[in-house]
Coordinates of all heavy atoms in Angstrom, one line a residue:
M10 N -10.3 -15.1 -0.2 CA -9.6 -15.5 1.0 C -8.9 -16.9 0.7 O -9.6 -17.8 0.2 CB -10.6 -15.7 2.1 CG -10.0 -16.0 3.5 SD -11.2 -15.8 4.8 CE -11.6 -17.5 5.1
S11 N -7.7 -16.9 0.9 CA -7.0 -18.2 0.7 C -6.8 -18.9 2.0 O -6.6 -18.3 3.1 CB -5.6 -17.9 0.1 OG -4.8 -17.2 1.0
E12 N -7.0 -20.2 1.9 CA -6.8 -21.1 3.1 C -5.5 -21.8 3.0 O -5.2 -22.4 1.9 CB -7.9 -22.1 3.2 CG -9.2 -21.4 3.7 CD -10.3 -22.4 4.0 OE1 -10.0 -23.5 4.4 OE2 -11.5 -22.1 3.7
K13 N -4.8 -21.9 4.1 CA -3.5 -22.7 4.1 C -3.9 -24.2 4.2 O -4.7 -24.5 5.1 CB -2.7 -22.2 5.3 CG -1.3 -22.8 5.3 CD -0.5 -22.2 6.5 CE 0.8 -22.9 6.6 NZ 1.5 -22.4 7.8
K14 N -3.3 -25.0 3.4 CA -3.6 -26.4 3.4 C -3.0 -27.0 4.7 O -1.9 -26.7 5.1 CB -3.0 -27.1 2.2 CG -3.3 -28.6 2.2 CD -2.8 -29.2 0.9 CE -3.2 -30.7 0.9 NZ -2.7 -31.4 -0.3
A15 N -3.8 -27.8 5.4 CA -3.4 -28.4 6.6 C -2.6 -29.7 6.4 O -3.1 -30.5 5.6 CB -4.6 -28.6 7.5
Y16 N -1.5 -29.8 6.9 CA -0.7 -31.0 6.8 C -0.5 -31.7 8.1 O -0.5 -31.0 9.2 CB 0.7 -30.7 6.3 CG 0.8 -30.2 4.8 CD1 0.9 -28.9 4.5 CD2 0.7 -31.2 3.8 CE1 0.9 -28.5 3.2 CE2 0.8 -30.8 2.5 CZ 0.9 -29.5 2.2 OH 0.9 -29.1 0.9
A17 N -0.4 -32.9 8.1 CA -0.1 -33.7 9.3 C 0.7 -34.9 8.9 O 0.6 -35.4 7.8 CB -1.5 -34.1 9.9
P18 N 1.5 -35.4 9.8 CA 2.3 -36.6 9.5 C 1.4 -37.8 9.4 O 0.3 -37.8 9.9 CB 3.3 -36.7 10.7 CG 2.5 -36.0 11.8 CD 1.8 -34.9 11.2
I19 N 2.0 -38.8 8.7 CA 1.3 -40.1 8.6 C 2.0 -41.1 9.4 O 3.3 -41.3 9.2 CB 1.1 -40.5 7.1 CG1 0.2 -39.4 6.4 CG2 0.5 -41.9 7.0 CD1 0.1 -39.7 4.9
A20 N 1.4 -41.9 10.2 CA 2.0 -42.9 11.0 C 2.1 -44.2 10.1 O 1.1 -44.6 9.5 CB 1.2 -43.2 12.2
V21 N 3.3 -44.7 9.9 CA 3.4 -45.9 9.1 C 4.3 -46.9 9.9 O 5.2 -46.6 10.6 CB 4.1 -45.6 7.8 CG1 3.2 -44.7 6.9 CG2 5.4 -44.9 7.9
K22 N 4.0 -48.2 9.7 CA 4.8 -49.3 10.2 C 5.9 -49.6 9.3 O 5.6 -49.9 8.1 CB 3.9 -50.5 10.5 CG 4.6 -51.6 11.3 CD 3.6 -52.7 11.6 CE 4.3 -53.8 12.4 NZ 3.4 -54.9 12.7
L23 N 7.1 -49.4 9.7 CA 8.3 -49.6 8.9 C 8.9 -51.0 9.2 O 9.1 -51.3 10.4 CB 9.3 -48.5 9.0 CG 8.8 -47.1 8.7 CD1 9.8 -46.0 9.2 CD2 8.4 -47.0 7.3
E24 N 9.3 -51.7 8.2 CA 9.9 -53.0 8.3 C 11.5 -52.9 8.3 O 12.0 -52.1 7.6 CB 9.5 -54.0 7.2 CG 8.0 -54.2 7.2 CD 7.6 -55.1 6.0 OE1 8.4 -55.9 5.5 OE2 6.5 -54.9 5.5
K25 N 12.1 -53.7 9.1 CA 13.5 -53.7 9.3 C 14.2 -54.0 7.9 O 13.8 -54.9 7.2 CB 14.0 -54.8 10.2 CG 15.4 -55.0 10.4 CD 15.7 -56.2 11.4 CE 17.1 -56.3 11.8 NZ 18.0 -56.7 10.7
D26 N 15.2 -53.1 7.5 CA 16.0 -53.3 6.3 C 15.3 -53.2 5.0 O 15.9 -53.4 4.0 CB 16.8 -54.6 6.4 CG 17.8 -54.6 7.5 OD1 18.3 -53.5 7.9 OD2 18.1 -55.7 8.0
K27 N 14.0 -52.8 5.0 CA 13.3 -52.6 3.7 C 13.6 -51.2 3.2 O 13.7 -50.3 4.0 CB 11.8 -52.8 4.0 CG 10.9 -52.6 2.7 CD 9.5 -52.9 3.0 CE 8.6 -52.6 1.7 NZ 7.2 -52.9 1.9
R28 N 13.8 -51.1 1.9 CA 14.1 -49.8 1.3 C 12.7 -49.1 1.0 O 11.9 -49.6 0.4 CB 14.9 -49.9 0.0 CG 16.3 -50.4 0.2 CD 17.2 -49.4 0.9 NE 17.3 -48.2 0.2 CZ 18.0 -47.1 0.7 NH1 18.4 -47.1 1.9 NH2 18.1 -46.0 0.0
Y29 N 12.7 -47.8 1.5 CA 11.5 -47.0 1.3 C 11.9 -45.8 0.5 O 13.0 -45.3 0.6 CB 10.8 -46.6 2.6 CG 10.3 -47.7 3.4 CD1 11.0 -48.3 4.4 CD2 9.0 -48.2 3.2 CE1 10.5 -49.3 5.2 CE2 8.5 -49.2 3.9 CZ 9.3 -49.8 4.9 OH 8.7 -50.8 5.7
G30 N 10.9 -45.2 -0.3 CA 11.2 -44.0 -1.0 C 10.2 -42.9 -0.5 O 9.0 -43.0 -0.8
W31 N 10.7 -42.0 0.3 CA 9.9 -40.9 0.8 C 9.7 -39.8 -0.2 O 10.7 -39.4 -0.8 CB 10.6 -40.4 2.1 CG 9.8 -39.2 2.7 CD1 8.6 -39.2 3.3 CD2 10.3 -37.9 2.8 NE1 8.3 -38.0 3.8 CE2 9.3 -37.1 3.5 CE3 11.4 -37.2 2.3 CZ2 9.4 -35.8 3.7 CZ3 11.6 -35.8 2.6 CH2 10.6 -35.1 3.3
C32 N 8.5 -39.5 -0.5 CA 8.2 -38.4 -1.5 C 8.7 -37.1 -1.0 O 8.4 -36.7 0.1 CB 6.6 -38.3 -1.7 SG 6.1 -36.9 -2.7
T33 N 9.5 -36.4 -1.8 CA 10.0 -35.1 -1.5 C 9.3 -34.0 -2.2 O 9.5 -32.8 -1.9 CB 11.5 -35.0 -1.8 OG1 11.7 -35.1 -3.2 CG2 12.3 -36.1 -1.1
C34 N 8.5 -34.3 -3.2 CA 7.9 -33.3 -4.1 C 6.5 -32.9 -3.9 O 6.0 -32.0 -4.4 CB 8.1 -33.7 -5.6 SG 7.0 -35.0 -6.1
S35 N 5.8 -33.8 -3.1 CA 4.4 -33.6 -2.7 C 3.4 -34.0 -3.8 O 2.2 -34.0 -3.6 CB 4.0 -32.1 -2.4 OG 4.7 -31.7 -1.2
H36 N 3.9 -34.4 -5.0 CA 2.9 -34.8 -6.0 C 2.4 -36.3 -5.9 O 1.4 -36.6 -6.5 CB 3.6 -34.7 -7.4 CG 3.9 -33.2 -7.8 ND1 2.8 -32.4 -8.0 CD2 5.0 -32.6 -7.9 CE1 3.4 -31.2 -8.3 NE2 4.7 -31.3 -8.3
S37 N 3.1 -37.1 -5.1 CA 2.7 -38.5 -5.0 C 1.2 -38.6 -4.5 O 0.8 -37.9 -3.6 CB 3.6 -39.2 -4.0 OG 3.1 -40.5 -3.8
S38 N 0.5 -39.6 -5.0 CA -0.8 -39.9 -4.5 C -0.8 -40.9 -3.4 O -1.8 -41.4 -2.9 CB -1.7 -40.4 -5.6 OG -1.9 -39.3 -6.6
N39 N 0.4 -41.4 -3.1 CA 0.6 -42.4 -2.1 C 1.5 -41.9 -0.9 O 2.4 -42.5 -0.5 CB 1.4 -43.6 -2.8 CG 1.5 -44.8 -1.9 OD1 0.6 -45.1 -1.1 ND2 2.6 -45.6 -2.0
Q40 N 1.1 -40.7 -0.4 CA 1.9 -40.1 0.7 C 1.9 -41.0 1.9 O 0.9 -41.7 2.2 CB 1.2 -38.8 1.0 CG 1.3 -37.7 0.0 CD 2.8 -37.3 -0.3 OE1 3.6 -37.3 0.6 NE2 3.0 -36.9 -1.5
P41 N 3.0 -41.1 2.6 CA 4.2 -40.2 2.4 C 5.2 -40.8 1.4 O 6.3 -40.3 1.3 CB 4.8 -40.2 3.8 CG 4.5 -41.6 4.4 CD 3.1 -41.9 3.8
F42 N 4.8 -41.8 0.7 CA 5.8 -42.5 -0.2 C 5.7 -42.0 -1.6 O 4.7 -41.6 -2.1 CB 5.6 -44.0 -0.1 CG 5.8 -44.6 1.3 CD1 4.7 -45.1 2.0 CD2 7.0 -44.6 1.9 CE1 4.9 -45.6 3.3 CE2 7.2 -45.0 3.2 CZ 6.1 -45.6 3.9
C43 N 6.8 -42.2 -2.4 CA 6.9 -41.9 -3.8 C 6.1 -42.8 -4.6 O 6.1 -44.0 -4.4 CB 8.4 -41.9 -4.2 SG 8.6 -41.7 -6.0
D44 N 5.4 -42.3 -5.6 CA 4.7 -43.1 -6.6 C 5.2 -42.8 -8.0 O 4.5 -43.2 -9.0 CB 3.1 -42.9 -6.5 CG 2.7 -41.6 -7.0 OD1 3.5 -40.7 -7.3 OD2 1.4 -41.4 -7.0
G45 N 6.3 -42.1 -8.1 CA 6.9 -41.8 -9.4 C 6.3 -40.5 -10.1 O 6.8 -40.1 -11.1
S46 N 5.4 -39.8 -9.4 CA 4.8 -38.6 -10.0 C 5.8 -37.5 -10.3 O 5.5 -36.7 -11.1 CB 3.7 -38.1 -9.1 OG 2.6 -39.0 -9.0
H47 N 6.9 -37.5 -9.5 CA 7.9 -36.4 -9.7 C 8.4 -36.4 -11.2 O 8.8 -35.3 -11.7 CB 9.1 -36.6 -8.7 CG 9.8 -37.9 -8.9 ND1 9.5 -39.0 -8.2 CD2 10.9 -38.2 -9.6 CE1 10.3 -40.0 -8.6 NE2 11.2 -39.5 -9.4
K48 N 8.4 -37.5 -11.8 CA 8.9 -37.6 -13.2 C 8.0 -36.7 -14.1 O 8.5 -36.0 -15.0 CB 8.9 -39.0 -13.7 CG 10.0 -39.9 -12.9 CD 9.9 -41.3 -13.3 CE 10.7 -42.2 -12.4 NZ 10.3 -43.6 -12.4
A49 N 6.7 -36.9 -14.0 CA 5.8 -36.1 -14.9 C 5.8 -34.6 -14.5 O 5.5 -33.8 -15.4 CB 4.4 -36.7 -14.7
H50 N 6.2 -34.3 -13.3 CA 6.2 -32.9 -12.9 C 7.6 -32.3 -12.9 O 7.8 -31.2 -12.5 CB 5.6 -32.8 -11.5 CG 4.2 -33.2 -11.4 ND1 3.2 -32.2 -11.6 CD2 3.6 -34.3 -11.1 CE1 2.0 -32.8 -11.5 NE2 2.2 -34.1 -11.2
N51 N 8.6 -33.1 -13.4 CA 10.0 -32.6 -13.4 C 10.4 -32.1 -12.0 O 11.0 -31.1 -11.9 CB 10.2 -31.6 -14.5 CG 11.7 -31.4 -14.8 OD1 12.4 -32.4 -14.6 ND2 12.0 -30.3 -15.3
A52 N 10.0 -32.8 -11.0 CA 10.2 -32.4 -9.6 C 11.3 -33.3 -9.0 O 11.9 -34.2 -9.6 CB 8.9 -32.5 -8.8
T53 N 11.5 -33.0 -7.7 CA 12.6 -33.7 -7.0 C 12.3 -35.2 -6.8 O 11.1 -35.5 -6.5 CB 12.8 -33.0 -5.6 OG1 11.6 -33.0 -4.9 CG2 13.4 -31.6 -5.8
P54 N 13.3 -36.0 -6.9 CA 13.0 -37.5 -6.8 C 12.9 -37.8 -5.3 O 13.1 -37.0 -4.4 CB 14.3 -38.1 -7.3 CG 15.4 -37.0 -7.2 CD 14.7 -35.7 -7.3
S55 N 12.5 -39.1 -5.1 CA 12.3 -39.6 -3.7 C 13.6 -39.6 -3.0 O 14.7 -39.7 -3.5 CB 11.6 -40.9 -3.7 OG 12.5 -41.9 -4.4
M56 N 13.5 -39.7 -1.6 CA 14.6 -39.9 -0.8 C 14.5 -41.3 -0.2 O 13.6 -41.7 0.5 CB 14.6 -38.9 0.4 CG 15.9 -39.0 1.3 SD 15.6 -38.1 2.8 CE 14.9 -39.4 3.8
G57 N 15.5 -42.1 -0.6 CA 15.5 -43.5 -0.1 C 15.9 -43.6 1.4 O 16.8 -42.8 1.8
F58 N 15.3 -44.5 2.1 CA 15.8 -44.7 3.5 C 15.3 -46.1 3.9 O 14.5 -46.8 3.3 CB 15.2 -43.7 4.5 CG 13.7 -43.8 4.7 CD1 13.3 -44.4 5.9 CD2 12.7 -43.4 3.8 CE1 11.9 -44.5 6.2 CE2 11.4 -43.6 4.1 CZ 11.0 -44.1 5.3
A59 N 15.9 -46.6 5.0 CA 15.6 -47.8 5.6 C 15.8 -47.7 7.1 O 16.4 -46.7 7.6 CB 16.5 -48.9 5.1
V60 N 15.2 -48.6 7.9 CA 15.3 -48.6 9.3 C 16.0 -49.9 9.8 O 15.8 -50.9 9.2 CB 14.0 -48.3 10.0 CG1 13.4 -47.0 9.7 CG2 12.9 -49.4 9.6
E61 N 16.7 -49.8 10.9 CA 17.4 -50.9 11.4 C 16.6 -51.9 12.3 O 17.0 -52.9 12.7 CB 18.7 -50.5 12.2 CG 19.6 -49.7 11.3 CD 20.9 -49.2 12.0 OE1 20.9 -49.3 13.2 OE2 21.8 -48.8 11.3
E62 N 15.4 -51.4 12.7 CA 14.5 -52.3 13.4 C 13.1 -51.9 13.1 O 12.8 -50.7 12.7 CB 14.7 -52.2 14.9 CG 14.6 -50.8 15.5 CD 14.9 -50.7 16.9 OE1 15.7 -51.5 17.4 OE2 14.3 -49.8 17.6
E63 N 12.2 -52.8 13.1 CA 10.8 -52.6 12.8 C 10.2 -51.5 13.8 O 10.5 -51.6 15.0 CB 10.0 -53.9 13.0 CG 8.5 -53.7 12.6 CD 7.7 -55.0 12.7 OE1 8.1 -55.9 12.0 OE2 6.8 -55.1 13.6
K64 N 9.5 -50.6 13.3 CA 8.9 -49.5 14.2 C 7.8 -48.8 13.4 O 7.8 -48.8 12.2 CB 10.0 -48.6 14.6 CG 10.6 -47.7 13.5 CD 11.7 -46.8 14.1 CE 12.3 -46.0 13.0 NZ 13.3 -45.0 13.5
T65 N 7.0 -48.1 14.2 CA 6.0 -47.2 13.7 C 6.6 -45.8 13.8 O 7.1 -45.4 14.8 CB 4.7 -47.3 14.4 OG1 4.2 -48.6 14.3 CG2 3.7 -46.3 13.9
A66 N 6.6 -45.1 12.7 CA 7.1 -43.7 12.6 C 6.1 -42.8 12.0 O 5.3 -43.2 11.2 CB 8.4 -43.7 11.8
F67 N 6.3 -41.5 12.4 CA 5.4 -40.5 11.8 C 6.2 -39.8 10.7 O 7.2 -39.1 11.0 CB 5.0 -39.5 12.9 CG 4.0 -40.0 13.9 CD1 4.4 -40.7 15.0 CD2 2.7 -39.9 13.6 CE1 3.5 -41.3 15.9 CE2 1.7 -40.5 14.5 CZ 2.2 -41.2 15.6
L68 N 5.8 -40.0 9.5 CA 6.5 -39.5 8.3 C 5.9 -38.2 7.9 O 4.7 -38.0 7.8 CB 6.6 -40.5 7.2 CG 7.2 -41.8 7.5 CD1 7.4 -42.6 6.2 CD2 8.6 -41.7 8.2
C69 N 6.8 -37.2 7.5 CA 6.4 -35.9 7.1 C 5.6 -35.9 5.8 O 6.0 -36.6 4.8 CB 7.6 -35.0 7.0 SG 7.4 -33.4 6.3
T70 N 4.5 -35.1 5.7 CA 3.8 -34.9 4.4 C 3.9 -33.5 4.0 O 3.6 -33.2 2.8 CB 2.3 -35.3 4.6 OG1 1.7 -34.4 5.5 CG2 2.2 -36.7 5.0
C71 N 4.4 -32.6 4.8 CA 4.4 -31.1 4.4 C 5.7 -30.8 3.7 O 5.8 -29.8 3.1 CB 4.3 -30.2 5.6 SG 5.7 -30.1 6.7
K72 N 6.7 -31.7 3.8 CA 8.0 -31.6 3.1 C 8.8 -30.4 3.7 O 9.8 -30.0 3.0 CB 7.9 -31.5 1.6 CG 6.9 -32.4 1.0 CD 7.1 -33.9 1.4 CE 6.1 -34.8 0.8 NZ 6.2 -36.2 1.3
Q73 N 8.5 -29.9 4.8 CA 9.3 -28.8 5.4 C 10.2 -29.3 6.6 O 10.9 -28.5 7.2 CB 8.3 -27.8 6.0 CG 7.4 -27.1 5.0 CD 8.2 -26.5 3.8 OE1 9.1 -25.7 4.0 NE2 7.8 -26.9 2.6
T74 N 10.1 -30.6 6.9 CA 10.8 -31.1 8.0 C 12.3 -30.9 7.8 O 12.8 -31.0 6.7 CB 10.5 -32.6 8.3 OG1 11.3 -33.1 9.4 CG2 10.9 -33.5 7.0
K75 N 13.0 -30.7 8.9 CA 14.5 -30.6 8.9 C 15.1 -32.0 9.1 O 16.3 -32.1 9.2 CB 15.0 -29.6 9.9 CG 14.4 -28.2 9.8 CD 14.9 -27.5 8.5 CE 14.5 -26.1 8.4 NZ 13.1 -25.9 8.2
N76 N 14.3 -33.0 9.4 CA 14.8 -34.3 9.7 C 14.0 -35.4 8.8 O 13.4 -36.3 9.4 CB 14.5 -34.6 11.2 CG 15.1 -35.9 11.6 OD1 16.1 -36.4 11.1 ND2 14.4 -36.6 12.6
P77 N 14.1 -35.2 7.5 CA 13.4 -36.1 6.6 C 13.9 -37.6 6.8 O 15.1 -37.8 7.0 CB 13.7 -35.6 5.2 CG 15.0 -34.9 5.4 CD 15.0 -34.3 6.8
P78 N 13.0 -38.5 6.7 CA 11.6 -38.4 6.3 C 10.6 -38.2 7.5 O 9.4 -38.2 7.3 CB 11.3 -39.8 5.7 CG 12.1 -40.7 6.5 CD 13.4 -40.0 6.8
Y79 N 11.2 -37.9 8.6 CA 10.4 -37.9 9.9 C 9.8 -36.5 10.1 O 10.5 -35.5 9.9 CB 11.2 -38.3 11.1 CG 11.8 -39.7 10.9 CD1 13.1 -39.9 10.6 CD2 11.0 -40.8 10.9 CE1 13.7 -41.1 10.3 CE2 11.5 -42.1 10.7 CZ 12.9 -42.2 10.4 OH 13.4 -43.5 10.1
C80 N 8.6 -36.5 10.6 CA 8.0 -35.2 11.0 C 8.8 -34.6 12.2 O 9.1 -35.3 13.1 CB 6.5 -35.5 11.5 SG 5.7 -34.0 12.2
D81 N 9.1 -33.3 12.1 CA 9.7 -32.7 13.3 C 8.9 -31.5 13.8 O 9.4 -30.7 14.5 CB 11.1 -32.2 12.8 CG 11.1 -31.0 11.9 OD1 10.0 -30.6 11.4 OD2 12.1 -30.4 11.6
G82 N 7.6 -31.5 13.4 CA 6.7 -30.5 13.9 C 6.7 -29.2 13.1 O 5.9 -28.3 13.3
S83 N 7.5 -29.2 12.0 CA 7.6 -28.0 11.1 C 6.2 -27.7 10.5 O 6.0 -26.5 10.1 CB 8.6 -28.2 10.0 OG 9.9 -28.2 10.6
H84 N 5.3 -28.7 10.3 CA 4.1 -28.4 9.7 C 3.2 -27.5 10.5 O 2.2 -26.9 9.9 CB 3.3 -29.8 9.4 CG 3.0 -30.5 10.7 ND1 3.8 -31.3 11.3 CD2 1.8 -30.4 11.5 CE1 3.2 -31.8 12.4 NE2 2.1 -31.3 12.5
K85 N 3.5 -27.3 11.7 CA 2.7 -26.4 12.6 C 3.1 -24.9 12.4 O 2.4 -24.0 12.8 CB 2.9 -26.8 14.0 CG 2.4 -28.1 14.4 CD 2.8 -28.5 15.8 CE 2.4 -29.9 16.1 NZ 3.0 -30.4 17.4
N86 N 4.2 -24.7 11.7 CA 4.7 -23.3 11.5 C 3.9 -22.5 10.5 O 3.4 -23.1 9.6 CB 6.2 -23.3 11.1 CG 7.1 -23.9 12.2 OD1 6.7 -23.9 13.3 ND2 8.2 -24.3 11.8
Ligands
FES129 S1 4.2 -33.2 8.5 FE1 5.2 -32.6 10.3 S2 7.1 -31.6 9.7 FE2 6.0 -32.2 7.9

């Protein structure tokens, strides 16, 4: 019997104008951010982003979101 891995977004406090690298490949040990693991796995690189004001956001860990890096509820599908 196979079990589907449960994913949930991670709430992170984002700083104004700081550059972040959201992991797109799932290999990072520092979810939801990139730790460079995609290089060893020949996987997709991180997606850079920044925010215009400090805020707490729920970032996607399932990598199925249609609104990266933010969770859009796709992990429930
Ligand atoms: S964790 Fe919610 S859409 Fe990916």
